[in-house]
Amino acid sequence: AAGAEDGACAVSALQRRVKKQVAAEAAETAEAAEAAGGESWGACSPWQCGAYHRGMPCQCNDLCRSYGNCCHNYEAVCKPTTSPEPMPAPTLAPSPSPSPS
């Protein structure tokens, strides 16, 4: 029983350390966002589009619709890119006529 308690304590300590690290990374990212454009998280700015920013209250990437966590201005700022139109197949030049012999 003592071994199980030690294992539970180790897991609990690891969970606290990871939670603290995630919070620190989120704070650094939010500070960088404000320094870069004066925007705080809660809205997209062009430099945020396409990437996932862990710990942020909303996202500005293609998956945010699936997760229901898009920032209010995601569509207006990021406008997810659509697939480009396929290129038409090249037309082949006609074969040269055989020369008379």
Side-chain angles (χ1 to χ4, degrees), residues 27-60:
E28 287 177 18
T29 304
E31 288 173 15
E34 288 184 33
E39 295 266 340
S40 62
W41 281 88
C44 297
S45 58
W47 69 269
Q48 296 165 317
C49 296
Y52 173 72
H53 299 280
R54 183 172 55 174
M56 295 299 118
C58 64
Q59 298 295 322
C60 304

Side-chain angles (χ1 to χ4, degrees), residues 12 17-18 26 28 34 46 63 67 72 75 78 80-81 87 90 94:
S12 180
R17 189 168 59 225
V18 168
E28 287 177 18
E34 288 184 33
L63 293 177
Y67 288 97
H72 68 91
E75 291 290 330
C78 298
T81 57
M87 296 282 294

